[in-house]
Every structure is written in structure tokens, then in C-alpha cells.
């Protein structure tokens, strides 16, 4: 929008986006990291960094709605937020902002306000309520059925702000489900599933093509109750072998493209002698047949004799210490993973581990994976929006 300001020297263009959330240092760090590393933002223009809010300018003065829309493609970005912001201007003081905004709000408009910090909200609402110009033009400040959204952030002594139509607000700035208690989310899965969905977004284009351009076999170790297995099995051209001595959720087990090995990870890659039995969704101790590994027998049931070429993704979200989950669950099965295959692993760090402890545990996992034939340059650790404060996610590629 273009506006004719009363004092053009005190208001300037500044395209920005921001996120407000429940005070949480770990979430603030994740938003900061994501926003400053994004191509949509200017890492040198971090306007606000607090435990409950991060605001940053867009890259090269880019359109904030377009930037926010692209940032929201990352799973967890919008749903972890309490409120999202976008704006185009900065005015030197609150008094000058109030002078400018009273002529800018359209006649008979219904204006919803998004503010930061919270203590500024009440003050701004009080000030807007007493402006005669707005009363005479029948401008109503209300959160219900708005025609416009006014974003107003007090940062130091300046006001960063923007004015948007209801369509722009609903289409981009509103959190999913804002104002709709019965909202149906596009990706309506649980938090465990959101971790694997978000992790797959961090694959390089080449890695994504390698995994998903043709039939894919996923082995999910430590799978019970089956959240990751269910999500992965819902993807096109994917079949899943879930490995866990514990039971899977019946709905997961009922999926045609899933199989459950109720064995320890080390057991599924040990050659066994099986006795022919009718095909079963679950292979247990009593099901052993011809000389092959349980993994091989089950994978052949899904993909035939060329299953080995399709085993390109190994996943683990087991609730174990990071070193135990990698050493006891991931490494035994990774021997069958094809060269170039990807491992996605949730690292459970434990409580009160501290930053030094995180570094130690990530280093230990990196050494274990490197020793098992995973590429060090391609190995990376991410703190996903879907991770808890005591989790990290590792993505590794086998040599």
C-alpha cells in the first residue's frame, strides 16, 4: 500500500516479518536461526530478539507477505507461533505513528490490531479509542470480523507497522486456525509425525530425488507405537518395515504397505532359519523360516528380490539416550542401507544437559556414524520446530 504521510521525514519504508510466541528461550533460538539463515530475510537487520519475539527485515526489501508465505512452508513455523507479523514502515515515535495512522485507516473499516510487546497493546488501543478523527469516520477497532489488520510493533522508541486487508491477513499473516475452533489443518498429524515431516524438508534437492523418485523402502527402528511409520507409509511409492519388540498401533499395522518385525534391531539383520508359514503382517520369534535375515524376508514380501536397492531411508525416533539409539538400533541396520542412503535420527539429550552437553552428545553421535560409514561433510544436526528443547535431529548420508 502507498500512503501520503503528514511528515515524510519521520516515516520510512522497512519491509519486515516477525513471530511472537509463548516465552521460550529454546524456541527463540530456533526462530532466530531459521530467520537469519533464510534467503527471504536480511541477516544483518535483526530488529528484535526476545525470548518471546523475533523480528527481522526482509531480504533486499522484498515483499513481507511473500517472504512470510515462503517461511511458513517450513512445518512448525506457523503452528509454534502465537502470532505472526508483517509490515512495510517504521515511524520514529508513537505520537507520530498515531498522527499518521488516523488518516490512513479507511472509512467505516473494522480494524484488528496485532501488537508487540503486550504492554504496548493496551496503551495503543486506549489511544486509538480517543481519536476523534477515527470516530467521525466510523472506524471501529475490533478483533471480530475485521476488514483490515493493523500490525504495530514498538521496537525501542520506533513503531514498525503495516496495514493489510482481511484477505491478506487471512491468507498469509493469520496462524493456521486463527478464529476457527473447528479448523482442519492441511497436515493434521501428531508432534512425533511432524518431526519426520519437517526433517524431510531439510533434505537437499538431490537427496529428495534419490529417496522419492522411485519405490522406496524405509526401515523405522524403535518404531512403536508407529507415528513415524504411519507418516512415512502415507507417502507415495513408500513401504515401511517397522522394527520394535513392542506392539504397533493397530491402525499402523493395518496399512497394506507396512510390516512389523517384533525383534530387536540387531536381530533383524542376523541370518535365521525360517519355517514356511502363511504370509503374516508380523514376524515374531515363532515365525522363523529359510536361511535369510528377518529384514530380508520381510522386505522381499514388500518389494521382491531387488529390495536392497530400495532400502534408501533409515529412521529412528526411539526414546533412548542418543548413543544407545545410534549404537544399538541404527548402526546394526545401517549395514544394509544402500550407498547414498539417508538416516534421520532424533537425538534424545536428556534434561538439564546444557549447551556443552549438547555438543558432547552430538560429537559422540557424529563419531559413531562416521565410524559406520556415513559421510562427515553431509552429516548435519538440526533443532527442528517440532523437536522439544531436549531433542535434536541428525540427518546423515552413507558413503
Amino acid at each position: 500500500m502507498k500512503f501520503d504521510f503528514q511528515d515524510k521525514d519521520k516515516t520510512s519504508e522497512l519491509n519486515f516479518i516477525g513471530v511472537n510466541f509463548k516465552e521460550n528461550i529454546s524456541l527463540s533460538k530456533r526462530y532466530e536461526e531459521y530467520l537469519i539463515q533464510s534467503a527471504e530475510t536480511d541477516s544483518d537487520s535483526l530488529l528484535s530478539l526476545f525470548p518471546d519475539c523475533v523480528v527481522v527485515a526482509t531480504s533486499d526489501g522484498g515483499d513481507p507477505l511473500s517472504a512470510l508465505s515462503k517461511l511458513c512452508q517450513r512445518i512448525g513455523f506457523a503452528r509454534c507461533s502465537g502470532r505472526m507479523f508483517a509490515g512495510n514502515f517504521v515511524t520514529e515515535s508513537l505520537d507520530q505513528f498515531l498522527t499518521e495512522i488516523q488518516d490512513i485507516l479507511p472509512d467505516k473499516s473494522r480494524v484488528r490490531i496485532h501488537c508487540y510487546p503486550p504492554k504496548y497493546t493496551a496503551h495503543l488501543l486506549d489511544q486509538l479509542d480517543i481519536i476523534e478523527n477515527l470516530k467521525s469516520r466510523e472506524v471501529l477497532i475490533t478483533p471480530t470480523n475485521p476488514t483490515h489488520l493493523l500490525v504495530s510493533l514498538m521496537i525501542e522508541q520506533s513503531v514498525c507497522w503495516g496495514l493489510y486487508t482481511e484477505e491478506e491477513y487471512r491468507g498469509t499473516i493469520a496462524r493456521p486456525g486463527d478464529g476457527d475452533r473447528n479448523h482442519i489443518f492441511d497436515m493434521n498429524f501428531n508432534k512425533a509425525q511432524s518431526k519426520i515431516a519437517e526433517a524431510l524438508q531439510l533434505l537437499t534437492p538431490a537427496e529428495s530425488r534419490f529417496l522419492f523418485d522411485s519405490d522406496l523402502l524405509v526401515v523405522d527402528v524403535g518404531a512403536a507405537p508407529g507415528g513415524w511409520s504411519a507418516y512415512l507409509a502415507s507417502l507415495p511409492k513408500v513401504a515401511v518395515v517397522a522394527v520394535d519388540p513392542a506392539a504397533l498401533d493397530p491402525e499402523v499395522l493395518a496399512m497394506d504397505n507396512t510390516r512389523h518385525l517384533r525383534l530387536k534391531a540387531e536381530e533383524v539383520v542376523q541370518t535365521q532359519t525360517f519355517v514356511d508359514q502363511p504370509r503374516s503382517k508380523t514376524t515374531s520369534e515363532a515365525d522363523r523360516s529359510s536361511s535369510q535375515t528377518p529384514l530380508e524376508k520381510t522386505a522381499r514380501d514388500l518389494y521382491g528380490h531387488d529390495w536392497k536397492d530400495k532400502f534408501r531411508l533409515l529412521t529412528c525416533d526411539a526414546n533412548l539416550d542418543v548413543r544407545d539409539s545410534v549404537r544399538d538400533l541404527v548402526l546394526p541396520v545401517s549395514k544394509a542401507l544402500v550407498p547414498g542412503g539417508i538416516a534421520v535420527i532424533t537425538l534424545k539429550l536428556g534434561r538439564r544437559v546444557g549447551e556443552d552437553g549438547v555438543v558432547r552428545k552430538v560429537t559422540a553421535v557424529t563419531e559413531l556414524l562416521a565410524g559406520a560409514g556415513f559421510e562427515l561433510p553431509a552429516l548435519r544436526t538440526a533443532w527442528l520446530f517440532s523437536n522439544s528443547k531436549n531433542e535434536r535431529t541428525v540427518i546423515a548420508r552413507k558413503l
Side-chain angles (χ1 to χ4, degrees):
M1 292 184 179
K2 296 293 184 181
F3 302 117
D4 186 16
F5 297 117
Q6 294 189 29
D7 190 336
K8 294 181 175 61
D9 293 331
K10 293 184 178 180
T11 296
S12 56
E13 288 192 16
L14 176 66
N15 289 335
F16 66 89
I17 62 95
V19 187
N20 179 212
F21 40 89
K22 186 176 180 180
E23 186 169 331
N24 183 317
I25 299 254
S26 72
L27 196 53
S28 177
K29 289 180 179 178
R30 279 174 269 182
Y31 274 116
E32 177 192 9
E33 180 179 306
Y34 179 51
L35 290 176
I36 65 175
Q37 291 180 356
S38 171
E40 303 302 319
T41 60
D42 182 354
S43 60
D44 294 327
S45 296
L46 187 63
L47 305 175
S48 171
L49 175 60
F50 295 104
D52 63 348
C53 186
V54 179
V55 182
V56 63
T58 60
S59 177
D60 298 323
D63 174 45
L65 292 181
S66 175
L68 189 58
S69 179
K70 291 176 182 177
L71 290 165
C72 285
Q73 293 174 9
R74 171 80 172 264
I75 290 170
F77 177 83
R79 290 180 70 169
C80 286
S81 70
R83 182 160 285 173
M84 297 188 293
F85 303 122
N88 313 88
F89 304 101
V90 57
T91 300
E92 290 184 3
S93 67
L94 175 58
D95 287 343
Q96 186 61 39
F97 168 69
L98 291 170
T99 298
E100 301 293 356
I101 203 67
Q102 62 181 293
D103 293 326
I104 287 172
L105 296 178
D107 293 352
K108 297 184 178 181
S109 57
R110 297 172 59 89
V111 183
R112 180 184 177 99
I113 308 290
H114 280 190
C115 293
Y116 183 84
K119 63 182 180 181
Y120 167 59
T121 303
H123 181 64
L124 177 60
L125 291 174
D126 288 343
Q127 294 298 307
L128 292 173
D129 281 344
I130 62 175
I131 296 177
E132 291 298 330
N133 183 352
L134 298 181
K135 293 180 181 179
S136 66
R137 295 192 295 110
E138 300 181 49
V139 175
L140 181 63
I141 308 300
T142 176
T144 59
N145 300 319
T147 61
H148 292 78
L149 171 72
L150 174 62
V151 174
S152 181
L153 314 179
M154 177 67 78
I155 299 178
E156 296 181 348
Q157 300 303 312
S158 298
V159 178
C160 297
W161 61 278
L163 182 63
Y164 296 97
T165 65
E166 180 193 14
E167 182 179 2
E168 291 169 326
Y169 161 56
R170 298 293 183 193
T172 303
I173 304 173
R175 285 182 70 252
D178 268 4
D180 181 2
R181 294 183 178 181
N182 299 314
H183 180 76
I184 298 175
F185 291 94
D186 290 338
M187 291 175 287
N188 196 26
F189 40 58
N190 62 39
K191 189 168 184 179
Q193 291 173 324
S194 70
K195 281 188 285 188
I196 184 61
E198 186 179 351
L200 294 178
Q201 289 184 317
L202 302 188
L203 298 175
T204 67
E207 289 170 341
S208 292
R209 289 192 298 270
F210 179 74
L211 290 184
F212 297 110
D213 276 3
S214 59
D215 289 341
L216 171 66
L217 175 66
V218 180
V219 178
D220 183 22
V221 293
W228 279 28
S229 295
Y231 174 76
L232 291 162
S234 72
L235 302 177
K237 298 187 292 187
V238 174
V240 178
V241 176
V243 178
D244 201 304
L248 285 189
D249 185 289
E251 291 186 6
V252 181
L253 191 57
M255 300 177 78
D256 289 339
N257 56 341
T258 63
R259 299 293 183 271
H260 182 199
L261 290 172
R262 293 195 69 168
L263 303 168
K264 295 180 179 179
E266 62 191 44
E267 294 175 326
V268 305
V269 291
Q270 293 174 353
T271 301
Q272 307 289 343
T273 300
F274 293 88
V275 176
D276 289 337
Q277 292 189 4
R279 180 175 296 179
S280 170
K281 291 283 287 186
T282 298
T283 300
S284 62
E285 295 278 356
D287 294 328
R288 308 271 163 97
S289 97
S290 59
S291 293
Q292 52 190 322
T293 69
L295 176 59
E296 181 179 9
K297 180 177 185 296
T298 304
R300 282 184 174 183
D301 181 45
L302 289 165
Y303 276 135
H305 291 282
D306 60 347
W307 69 271
K308 291 183 180 180
D309 294 335
K310 304 182 191 306
F311 177 26
R312 301 189 299 274
L313 179 60
L314 173 60
T315 62
C316 180
D317 187 40
N319 190 21
L320 296 173
D321 176 79
V322 293
R323 288 157 291 199
D324 293 338
S325 62
V326 172
R327 182 177 54 243
D328 298 338
L329 300 183
V330 174
L331 296 191
V333 181
S334 71
K335 296 174 184 177
L337 191 66
V338 300
I342 301 296
V344 178
I345 309 160
T346 301
L347 305 186
K348 311 284 185 173
L349 302 170
R351 297 181 179 180
R352 302 182 183 89
V353 68
E355 292 187 6
D356 291 342
V358 172
V359 172
R360 286 196 302 272
K361 292 195 174 188
V362 169
T363 299
V365 167
T366 299
E367 291 173 352
L368 285 170
L369 290 170
F374 286 86
E375 298 180 54
L376 272 177
L379 195 151
R380 60 267 198 198
T381 302
W383 197 356
L384 306 178
F385 290 111
S386 305
N387 285 140
S388 74
K389 66 178 181 180
N390 298 315
E391 294 178 336
R392 302 294 186 275
T393 295
V394 164
I395 300 174
R397 186 170 67 225
K398 191 176 178 183
L399 288 165

